[in-house]
Amino acid sequence: MRGWLAQTAGGLPKIFWYLWTGTLINRTGAFVMLYLEIHMVVEYGFSATFAGLVLGLFGGGMALGSLVGGVLADRWGRRSTLLVSNIALAATAVVLGFVFQPVAVALLAAVYGFWNGLGRPAFSATMVDVLGPSKRMRGMNLNYWAINLGFSFAAVLAGVLSRTPHLTVFLLNAAAQLVMAAIVFWRVPETQVRTVTPGTAVPHKAPVEGSILMVLRDRVFMTFVLLNLGLWIIIESCKLIPIAMHQRGLDAADYGTVIAVNGIMIVVFQLFVPKLLAGRNRSRVLALSALLVGLGMGATAIAGTVPALMLTVVVWTAGEMLNAPVNGTLIADLSQPAMRGRYQGVASMGFTAANFVAPVFGGMLLDHAPPMTLWLVLAGLGVAVAAGQLLSGPVRERRARALTEPKPLVEGADRAAVAA
């Protein structure tokens, strides 16, 4: 056990563990959106359609915030962007606690999503900065584990807090965001690359060349982002399982039992994944992941009981678990170091966009097509993503090697930078 712990968590820098702690606190505080999901119809009196729109606006706000946050992380700095994100999230949460009018709640949900997305690229870029290529997979896997552990706590808290005074929920969320901001302020330094100009001894931020358009024109990277978008559209479609349960005469309240399988599997088994994947071909792992996710979600079409639905969750969760550490590592490996924030922002946008696409278009298929259509489409999408990962893998790996292999030192600036 001691040896396994050393392989899993040993040798990682202190800054990583401060970030990891911040992730756990931040995701535990994510019960606000879960609270809204539970209460928008019952307590706020919103229609199901309008409640779905609120959730979609939250996802849209995150996608936009991710793009802006990526630019700020490079130009302004990781630390400053993280501080603004968490302080603004706390302020928005407090305002949300006083608002019940539908349009105002929808707009504030979009603003809350924007601030949420703003900090993601800076956080990811900071983590990549401090881990380095050799420790990225272990670090990304541990952070993903913290995300899901925190989310599991949030789900429990959302239920516990459902009977507390309304404003208390939002004040507790604001407190969690401020704790994260305090950790960043006191313990996380700016990690952006710094250089030393020849003839001086004063380090300064490396110049940021190009724009977000350069990332969007990076075909290798954008192909990977689009494949990730396809995968996460499948995974985020799990939010539509309660509708499928209702259509089949099952109690939608049992959805909590069904989806709990996802969190339990990740919390119990995710830390063993890096050892399982050590030395494996990354493109093949990603292809297998997509097949499992597609197969599991597609099997929802024929799962007519709660135990059968739980089994489908086991299958697609296994695919999600395989994907997480490899995906995070590849995004880092494919990023130009001087534009790491922008690359992380575009990658995060691919994930957050799935929060909007999956419920909107999936809901349309459930409403206007035969019941099995959505799930069969998702199974087909899983096969397409798997094929795309295999076909694009060789070029992607060549790019990753070119960016991560150490460069030989040269005279002048490089020698001065190393000395500094």
Side-chain angles (χ1 to χ4, degrees):
M1 178 61 73
R2 191 180 300 116
W4 171 77
L5 284 173
Q7 290 179 352
T8 303
L12 298 175
K14 283 185 178 181
I15 296 174
F16 167 80
W17 290 111
Y18 291 132
L19 292 169
W20 185 91
T21 303
T23 293
L24 187 61
I25 294 170
N26 187 279
R27 293 309 172 103
T28 300
F31 50 75
V32 157
M33 292 311 298
L34 291 170
Y35 179 89
L36 285 176
E37 286 179 27
I38 294 169
H39 292 280
M40 276 192 291
V41 174
V42 177
E43 182 179 333
Y44 286 69
F46 297 170
S47 67
T49 300
F50 191 82
L53 175 63
V54 171
L55 296 176
L57 287 172
F58 171 75
M62 276 203 299
L64 179 60
S66 297
L67 283 179
V68 176
V71 175
L72 290 179
D74 284 337
R75 290 197 173 277
W76 196 16
R78 283 70 153 128
R79 187 169 179 268
S80 298
T81 305
L82 278 171
L83 288 171
V84 168
S85 169
N86 283 281
I87 292 171
L89 273 170
T92 306
V94 173
V95 176
L96 259 172
F98 288 97
V99 173
F100 290 88
Q101 202 274 334
V103 174
V105 171
L107 291 175
L108 284 169
V111 172
Y112 189 85
F114 177 85
W115 296 125
N116 191 304
L118 189 82
R120 288 179 179 234
F123 183 92
S124 298
T126 302
M127 189 161 285
V128 172
D129 292 341
V130 301
L131 286 173
S134 63
K135 299 175 181 177
R136 280 175 188 166
M137 181 174 286
R138 289 194 297 133
M140 296 293 183
N141 191 67
L142 281 164
N143 190 62
Y144 185 71
W145 183 72
I147 288 171
N148 284 276
L149 184 62
F151 187 80
S152 298
F153 291 155
V156 173
L157 283 172
V160 171
L161 295 172
S162 63
R163 300 184 185 280
T164 62
H166 173 83
L167 183 59
T168 303
V169 175
F170 295 89
L171 292 178
L172 287 173
N173 176 264
Q177 305 299 341
L178 291 176
V179 170
M180 174 65 176
I183 291 174
V184 172
F185 184 79
W186 292 109
R187 295 298 179 186
V188 180
E190 178 57 58
T191 61
Q192 194 170 11
V193 177
R194 292 180 178 271
T195 61
V196 177
T197 303
T200 72
V202 181
H204 57 84
K205 286 197 298 184
V208 180
E209 299 177 357
S211 67
I212 198 77
L213 292 177
M214 288 186 65
V215 182
L216 298 176
R217 291 178 186 139
D218 185 336
R219 293 182 181 179
V220 175
F221 185 75
M222 289 308 300
T223 297
F224 189 55
V225 169
L226 289 174
L227 290 171
N228 283 332
L229 173 61
L231 182 85
W232 280 102
I233 286 173
I234 304 172
I235 294 173
E236 289 301 311
S237 295
C238 70
K239 295 174 181 177
L240 299 170
I241 292 176
I243 300 176
M245 294 174 67
H246 177 72
Q247 290 175 340
R248 296 167 198 181
L250 300 175
D251 187 353
D254 288 329
Y255 174 68
T257 303
V258 172
I259 204 62
V261 174
N262 174 263
I264 292 170
M265 282 184 63
I266 292 173
V267 170
V268 174
F269 298 114
Q270 188 68 45
L271 294 183
F272 298 95
V273 172
K275 189 173 180 62
L276 176 67
L277 299 183
R280 308 281 183 184
N281 181 285
R282 295 193 290 191
S283 298
R284 292 177 182 175
V285 171
L286 291 173
L288 175 60
S289 166
L291 288 175
L292 288 172
V293 170
L295 174 64
M297 202 65 71
T300 305
I302 56 174
T305 65
V306 169
L309 286 169
M310 293 171 72
L311 184 59
T312 68
V313 176
V314 169
V315 176
W316 63 256
T317 298
E320 181 185 352
M321 291 169 66
L322 292 176
N323 175 268
V326 177
N327 180 55
T329 304
L330 265 172
I331 290 171
D333 289 353
L334 293 171
S335 303
Q336 299 284 351
M339 299 176 64
R340 189 165 282 156
R342 287 174 169 83
Y343 274 85
Q344 292 290 341
V346 172
S348 182
M349 182 195 67
F351 162 73
T352 53
N355 285 273
F356 176 80
V357 174
V360 172
F361 289 96
M364 290 171 60
L365 282 176
L366 284 177
D367 273 342
H368 303 293
M372 295 177 65
T373 303
L374 169 64
W375 313 109
L376 295 179
V377 167
L378 294 174
L381 181 57
V383 173
V385 170
Q389 295 288 14
L390 290 175
L391 291 172
S392 62
V395 175
R396 186 169 58 232
E397 291 296 341
R398 285 197 295 272
R399 165 73 70 81
R401 283 194 298 272
L403 289 172
T404 57
E405 287 178 352
K407 305 294 189 300
L409 291 176
V410 297
E411 298 294 330
D414 286 338
R415 178 174 294 176
V418 171

